[in-house]
Amino acid sequence: MDDRQFRTAMGKFATGVTVIATDVDGDVHGMTANAFMSVSLSPKLVVISIGHKARILEKIKQSKSFSVNILAADQQELSIIFAGQIKGHREVLFDRLDDKPVLAGAVAQMACEVSAEYLEGDHTLFIGKVTDIQLTDADPLIFYSGRYRALSNENPVTI
């Protein structure tokens, strides 16, 4: 299989969209990511996967902390900004949760302390111990097959 085929296959898995953020010496750094999942309920752990070419990688290693912001359906522009797809400086305001930078209006904000990191392939996996959570009642932003999507209640599946 080639790289394109692998990427296309991975794109067939619908995911939420997150912005990972960290703070180093008062400067907030963020990156759009969908490589995020829960690991454990006790203790409360999550994992994020950061590519070795991403500028935020060294920032998280320095700060030893990060936040995960699960974006709401109306926050697509924030995803695009933190994916580096909008050129030029855009001012983004951050709130604080357990002294970590978080995005207002996100469906969920999680403050995390790095508890472990693992080098795997061309990424580093950071295990984060969740130290605080804030939730908002809103629909999430979804990414599927290379496009942003929204949840639909038109044809719900009942089990």
Side-chain angles (χ1 to χ4, degrees), residues 96-116:
R96 292 282 168 167
L97 181 66
D98 192 26
D99 203 34
K100 316 297 183 290
V102 292
L103 292 168
V107 172
Q109 306 163 330
M110 287 170 249
C112 303
E113 297 289 336
V114 173
S115 66

Side-chain angles (χ1 to χ4, degrees), residues 1 4 14 19-20 47 72 76 105-106 110-111 117 129 145 147:
M1 88 192 98
R4 172 60 19 215
V19 169
I20 307 301
V47 65
Q76 182 176 330
M110 287 170 249
E117 64 181 81
K129 181 178 180 192
S145 205
R147 291 182 29 217

Side-chain angles (χ1 to χ4, degrees), residues 80-98:
I80 294 168
I81 289 169
F82 287 103
Q85 296 172 340
I86 294 179
K87 301 303 175 203
H89 179 72
R90 296 286 175 109
E91 188 70 30
V92 176
L93 299 177
F94 286 88
D95 291 338
R96 292 282 168 167
L97 181 66
D98 192 26

Side-chain angles (χ1 to χ4, degrees), residues 18-24 27-33 50 54-57 59-60 66-67 69 78-84 92 94 101 103:
T18 72
V19 169
I20 307 301
T22 193
D23 185 323
V24 176
D27 290 327
V28 177
H29 306 271
M31 179 189 92
T32 298
I50 307 294
R55 290 176 291 205
I56 199 170
L57 179 67
K59 305 299 184 189
I60 293 173
F66 59 90
S67 69
N69 301 271
L78 285 173
S79 173
I80 294 168
I81 289 169
F82 287 103
V92 176
F94 286 88
L103 292 168

Side-chain angles (χ1 to χ4, degrees), residues 20-80:
I20 307 301
T22 193
D23 185 323
V24 176
D25 299 328
D27 290 327
V28 177
H29 306 271
M31 179 189 92
T32 298
N34 61 1
F36 157 76
M37 67 179 208
S38 65
V39 174
S40 170
L41 186 58
S42 183
K44 291 164 185 58
L45 300 173
V46 297
V47 65
I48 59 172
S49 179
I50 307 294
H52 292 157
K53 294 180 182 176
R55 290 176 291 205
I56 199 170
L57 179 67
E58 290 304 316
K59 305 299 184 189
I60 293 173
K61 287 182 177 190
Q62 280 181 275
S63 70
K64 301 200 180 326
S65 66
F66 59 90
S67 69
V68 178
N69 301 271
I70 300 174
L71 298 185
D74 64 355
Q75 293 182 308
Q76 182 176 330
E77 184 177 2
L78 285 173
S79 173
I80 294 168

Side-chain angles (χ1 to χ4, degrees), residues 73 138-142 149-154:
D139 284 340
L141 183 61
I142 305 293
R149 312 284 177 126
L151 289 180
S152 170
N153 291 325
E154 292 178 19

